[in-house]
Amino acid sequence: MPTPKGNGRPTDPKISEKLLDTAERILETDGFQGLRVEALVSEAQTSRPAMYRRFPDLAHLTLEVLLRRYGDNRVEPTGTLAGDLLQLQLNEAKMLSEPLMAKTLPALLKAVSDDPKLGKLLYEEFILPRRLRVKEVIDNAVDRGELGTGSYNLVFICNLLLGPLMSLSMVPSASADLSADAARMTAEVVERELRVATGSPE
């Protein structure tokens, strides 16, 4: 959630929620390019100073909107590595195909390239928790004896999972392919890679 800057009076959480709700509606309809401060604060019935006390800029506000909607990618364990990987991928494919993410992610990634602090926040609050969730799935498979204890590269595995889905989401003509089939195929590729890396039988 947004953190007030400086040592001024405490911020009203209701205003923060109203700004997030309003920004989410605008982003889902018009994308990042349609998000304007004056229209946002007018619809949220607040002021520019109130917004900037909570969010450094519109890019940080946008990231908070995405974290609120998609921050938790936890899945219910299925009891198998294949099932858990598939559930993770189905969740990610659904996230990337929703209008809010599809209309926001490209512009947010551009903003991240220009703002190291925003990039750090994106990594710590969005990317790292997802990597740790993948590690949890793999650790559970090791505990069940599905995978051996050989080493694997977690970052590489996570990129194999999310990279193809993100690529599809960025190309309008390919976004229709962001389906359960894409989720299943990427999950199967990663399962095979993990079995090879850890010396586990098929």
Side-chain angles (χ1 to χ4, degrees):
M1 287 298 294
T3 302
K5 296 182 289 184
N7 297 314
R9 66 180 185 274
T11 57
D12 183 347
K14 291 182 180 178
I15 295 177
S16 299
E17 287 301 310
K18 185 66 173 176
L19 284 165
L20 289 165
D21 289 342
T22 304
E24 182 171 325
R25 186 200 64 73
I26 295 171
L27 289 166
E28 200 159 27
T29 303
D30 302 322
F32 186 77
Q33 69 276 10
L35 190 62
R36 298 288 183 269
V37 173
E38 289 302 332
L40 171 68
V41 298
S42 176
E43 184 175 334
Q45 298 180 320
T46 186
S47 64
R48 290 175 66 99
M51 192 206 86
Y52 284 116
R53 278 199 299 272
R54 293 162 172 80
F55 307 99
D57 51 40
L58 291 177
H60 280 78
L61 171 60
T62 297
L63 178 55
E64 290 290 347
V65 168
L66 296 183
L67 289 173
R68 189 175 67 158
R69 172 82 75 89
Y70 305 115
D72 185 7
N73 69 329
R74 185 179 299 276
V75 297
E76 288 296 321
T78 66
T80 68
L81 175 62
D84 289 351
L85 288 173
L86 178 58
Q87 287 304 309
L88 281 175
Q89 289 301 85
L90 287 171
N91 283 359
E92 301 294 56
K94 180 177 182 295
M95 173 189 74
L96 290 167
S97 64
E98 289 186 355
L100 175 61
M101 183 62 82
K103 294 182 179 183
T104 302
L105 186 59
L108 182 62
L109 292 178
K110 183 179 184 306
V112 162
S113 69
D114 299 327
D115 185 343
K117 289 184 178 179
L118 182 64
K120 184 173 184 289
L121 185 63
L122 176 67
Y123 175 77
E124 292 177 348
E125 300 294 330
F126 191 84
I127 296 173
L128 182 58
R130 280 172 155 70
R131 288 181 177 174
L132 294 177
R133 193 74 67 227
V134 172
K135 183 178 185 300
E136 181 181 329
V137 164
I138 297 170
D139 288 346
N140 289 341
V142 172
D143 291 343
R144 288 192 300 265
E146 282 189 87
L147 293 177
T149 56
S151 63
Y152 62 90
N153 186 318
L154 179 62
V155 173
F156 177 66
I157 291 297
C158 292
N159 289 342
L160 278 180
L161 286 168
L162 195 55
L165 300 185
M166 284 190 65
S167 296
L168 288 172
S169 74
M170 295 287 191
V171 181
S173 61
S175 59
D177 296 327
L178 197 58
S179 62
D181 285 341
R184 186 183 67 256
M185 286 187 288
T186 50
E188 289 173 353
V189 167
V190 166
E191 183 185 4
R192 287 196 296 270
E193 174 63 27
L194 283 168
R195 291 191 182 282
V196 170
T198 61
S200 308
E202 290 287 342

